[in-house]
């Protein structure tokens, strides 16, 4: 949850900065730089805000956009536009972190997030579709957070119980067969 909010806020901030520097007065999420599927995602988010009978604000729209939306804004197709001009600056000074590294980590995290959301098993040695263990994905989350906000990453590292839980290797209790 913390990662998702930090990611969307940092990305939105940099996209807005870039969009305004180009002279636009509309919100960044109405940019022609977005591919059609992402324009459709934005339209859906805007509709959700309106259905709630709330005024449309950038904050409300970005809160309605999915983690998958943010992941795909880091895809290769956006490297010459959104990444080069805006998104890379969400990760420190915009140097030293490759778009591919961010995207790969977001892809692994999104896969795990979707499994959890659909109540699918995520325990065991690996998550089949990513080949990553849960501790590895936790490290990838911390990488992204460190790049976005080192202080926030430090807070999560200090307060997360996940490493402790994983090291205990809990196993589901299985009822013994009736005698």
């Amino acid at each position: 949850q913390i990662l998702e909010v930090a990611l969307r806020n940092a990305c939105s901030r940099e996209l807005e900065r870039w969009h305004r520097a180009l002279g636009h007065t509309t919100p960044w999420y109405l940019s022609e730089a977005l591919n059609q599927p992402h324009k459709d995602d934005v339209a859906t988010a805007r509709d959700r805000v309106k259905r709630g009978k709330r005024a449309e604000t950038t904050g409300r729209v970005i809160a309605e956009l999915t983690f998958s939306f943010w992941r795909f804004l880091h895809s290769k197709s956006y490297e010459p536009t959104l990444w080069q001009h805006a998104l890379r600056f969400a990760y420190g000074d915009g140097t030293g972190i490759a778009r591919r590294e961010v995207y790969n980590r977001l892809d692994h995290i999104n896969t795990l997030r979707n499994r959890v959301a659909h109540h699918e098993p995520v325990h065991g040695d690996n998550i089949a579709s990513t080949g990553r263990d849960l501790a590895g994905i936790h490290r990838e989350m911390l990488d992204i957070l460190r790049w976005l906000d080192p202080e926030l990453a430090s807070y999560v590292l200090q307060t997360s119980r996940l490493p402790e839980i994983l090291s205990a290797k809990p196993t589901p209790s299985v009822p013994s067969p009736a005698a």
Side-chain angles (χ1 to χ4, degrees):
Q1 297 160 339
I2 291 171
L3 171 66
E4 185 167 357
V5 172
L7 176 71
R8 74 179 189 214
N9 288 347
C11 291
S12 182
R13 178 190 67 238
E14 295 305 325
L15 289 163
E16 190 68 28
R17 181 195 55 76
W18 175 57
H19 196 65
R20 295 280 180 229
L22 293 174
H24 298 288
T25 57
T26 58
W28 70 263
Y29 53 81
L30 299 177
S31 172
E32 288 301 314
L34 294 178
N35 297 336
Q36 192 58 51
H38 299 115
K39 289 178 183 179
D40 295 343
D41 291 341
V42 167
T44 300
R46 292 177 76 200
D47 285 344
R48 281 193 215 116
V49 169
K50 290 174 190 166
R51 272 184 288 183
K53 298 190 189 317
R54 299 177 295 167
E56 181 179 316
T57 64
T58 298
R60 287 180 177 147
V61 173
I62 68 165
E64 292 291 341
L65 293 166
T66 65
F67 190 85
S68 183
F69 173 87
W70 299 106
R71 172 185 61 150
F72 283 117
L73 288 190
H74 290 79
S75 66
K76 187 175 183 175
S77 65
Y78 285 119
E79 186 155 8
T81 55
L82 301 185
W83 177 260
Q84 284 299 318
H85 299 288
L87 292 175
R88 69 188 177 107
F89 297 106
Y91 305 93
D93 65 1
T95 62
I97 299 170
R99 178 212 51 81
R100 177 184 71 256
E101 292 300 316
V102 175
Y103 179 82
N104 287 342
R105 284 168 175 79
L106 292 176
D107 185 48
H108 300 153
I109 295 162
N110 192 215
T111 298
L112 174 63
R113 182 185 184 282
N114 289 345
R115 292 253 173 119
V116 169
H118 293 109
H119 305 281
E120 295 176 21
V122 295
H123 44 73
D125 293 331
N126 287 307
I127 297 172
S129 65
T130 65
R132 298 282 194 270
D133 62 298
L134 293 175
I137 293 176
H138 186 251
R139 284 189 300 275
E140 290 181 332
M141 287 180 197
L142 289 170
D143 287 343
I144 298 281
L145 279 173
R146 256 191 301 282
W147 298 336
L148 290 169
D149 184 337
E151 287 182 31
L152 185 57
S154 179
Y155 168 78
V156 170
L157 188 59
Q158 291 171 17
T159 59
S160 176
R161 292 188 52 234
L162 188 62
E164 174 189 332
I165 292 167
L166 292 176
S167 69
K169 297 192 184 235
T171 55
S173 59
V174 178
S176 57

